[in-house]
Amino acid sequence: INTFIECGSGESGENAVNFSNFFDVISIDIDKTLYVRYCNRTGVKHNIEWVLGDGREELQKVLTERPDERFVILLDDHYDYTSFIVEEMEIIRDFSNRNDHIIIIDDMKFAGRGTYPTVEVLELLAKKINQNYNVKNTEIGNNIFVIYPSKESK
């Protein structure tokens, strides 16, 4: 894995900087204020590409342009109880030739509220991408979930 994709840069922008220790980073945010704040930040050991745009559209674009690449993907673009996790999981399923990405989902403490999927729905979405996906609550922060394959897949 060479690239970390972040949908939702967040108020601090620190995920992109921290993950740039290990990967090239594509950080996507629809908030122009955040984009302007972060667009000149550089990575620690790898590049950060800051993208202003809708996380769903930009994630689809990256996966369409690089369908055979494996990624670490953070789904964290939301406001209040409006989440795009369901749509983003469907985009990962439909626009990547890979089914072995590592997917990190933040703020699942809101599961079942607004448009946040329940944990059961998240598990079903993961299994539609890869029957061998494990869905684990790390119990870190706001219930960060990690989705990863139990065995090598493509």
Side-chain angles (χ1 to χ4, degrees):
I1 300 177
N2 296 314
T3 306
F4 170 78
I5 302 171
E6 173 182 45
C7 294
S9 303
E11 286 298 318
S12 69
E14 290 304 311
N15 285 328
V17 174
N18 291 333
F19 274 94
S20 74
N21 278 292
F22 311 102
F23 309 103
D24 284 337
V25 173
I26 301 170
S27 184
I28 306 161
D29 207 291
I30 199 164
D31 187 321
K32 187 172 184 178
T33 303
L34 294 178
Y35 172 78
V36 169
R37 183 185 309 165
Y38 304 143
C39 69
N40 292 320
R41 284 191 184 176
T42 57
V44 179
K45 295 181 182 175
H46 298 273
N47 296 321
I48 300 176
E49 177 185 351
W50 300 97
V51 178
L52 177 61
D54 183 299
R56 296 163 292 182
E57 294 170 7
E58 298 299 328
L59 177 61
Q60 181 176 328
K61 191 181 302 182
V62 172
L63 295 176
T64 300
E65 292 169 356
R66 299 157 71 170
D68 298 316
E69 187 172 340
R70 186 176 184 208
F71 298 101
V72 174
I73 303 169
L74 171 62
L75 304 180
D76 192 21
D77 53 341
H78 60 88
Y79 55 93
D80 296 324
Y81 297 121
T82 302
S83 162
F84 308 104
I85 294 167
V86 171
E87 294 164 88
E88 290 164 336
M89 292 289 287
E90 291 169 346
I91 288 166
I92 293 167
R93 179 195 66 211
D94 294 343
F95 291 93
S96 177
N97 293 339
R98 306 280 312 222
N99 69 354
D100 59 347
H101 303 290
I102 296 170
I103 304 168
I104 304 167
I105 300 178
D106 195 8
D107 299 311
M108 281 299 289
K109 72 176 185 178
F110 302 125
R113 297 183 197 162
T115 59
Y116 272 84
T118 62
V119 173
E120 294 77 17
V121 168
L122 180 63
E123 290 171 341
L124 288 171
L125 290 164
K127 297 293 183 186
K128 286 182 179 180
I129 296 171
N130 182 339
Q131 282 294 316
N132 295 314
Y133 261 149
N134 295 296
V135 179
K136 298 292 181 194
N137 181 355
T138 66
E139 299 182 13
I140 296 171
N142 292 325
N143 285 349
I144 296 172
F145 274 60
V146 178
I147 302 170
Y148 60 95
S150 57
K151 61 181 181 179
E152 285 302 312
S153 308
K154 274 193 180 180

